[in-house]
Amino acid sequence: MSKTVFITGASTGIGRATAQLFQQQGWNVAATMRTPEKSPELANLPNVLCLPLDVTKVETIHAAIDKAIAHFGAIDVVVNNAGYALIGAFEACEMADIRGQFETNVFGLMEVTRAILPHFRQRQQGVVVNVASIGGRMTFPIYSPYHATKWAVDGFSESLQYELRQFNIKVKIIEPGAIKTDFYSRSINVARKAGLTAYDEYIDRTLPKMDRAGANGSPPEITAQAIYKAASDGSWKLRYPAGGNATFLLGLRKLLPDAWFIGLMRKGIEG
């Protein structure tokens, strides 16, 4: 019997590449997104069910999970992929926008996880795959709200795996580096505040280098492969670096003292 994966944020980028890879590997795929009608290429694939889901609206989460279970019989893996980045000087960020960042990247992920756990516990098996970032264990300039969400996802996931192990439910953290998708044009909001110009020179100097990192990053298929491995390898391994020099950068972060690592980052990004 084919296994089923439930993916959030499947319309573009990593989510779409992940849906396509699982389908190619013979899985049933519940590909969720806010507007499924915009992704007919997924809907036309065999064994793919496209469903509307907005992670900030709890009722759509439960409706999508119920429909996926009714259609495929069960869900074996949940991939929490939906997310976006609010960047810019922290002083320019409105609290409403920061709360919105957390609503999607953290609270939405938690709501999807909470909604699937009764199903996983009943079956005494399941895998929760949370797409975090290398930005959940290291940081870059002008990304402080985004990093705050990804560090939250990392801590949440690491803690959660303790209590779920008794039910044979695995928790996995995916840590992509720079990925070459439309994330940098579609999923990034740059904070601006009228009259606040003190940070403009710094942002103008650093943001192009961050954009170049994305343009030269790994294709989303690399991260999709890491997600597939995490979902299917049967291990209790927690973290999976994925592309964009993730393994190298996280290795440096682990080995170097803070002052050395931050100095290297400043030299590379600030110029």
Side-chain angles (χ1 to χ4, degrees), residues 11-23:
S11 60
T12 61
I14 292 171
R16 181 167 61 189
T18 300
Q20 292 169 336
L21 176 60
F22 274 85
Q23 189 273 338

Side-chain angles (χ1 to χ4, degrees), residues 197-210:
T197 61
Y199 299 95
D200 288 357
E201 186 276 333
Y202 184 81
I203 292 174
D204 290 343
R205 180 157 43 94
T206 57
L207 186 56
K209 294 181 181 179
M210 305 296 291

Side-chain angles (χ1 to χ4, degrees), residues 4 36 39 112 129 159 184 204 212 241:
T4 298
S39 297
V112 173
V129 181
S159 178
Y184 294 89
D204 290 343
R212 281 198 295 273

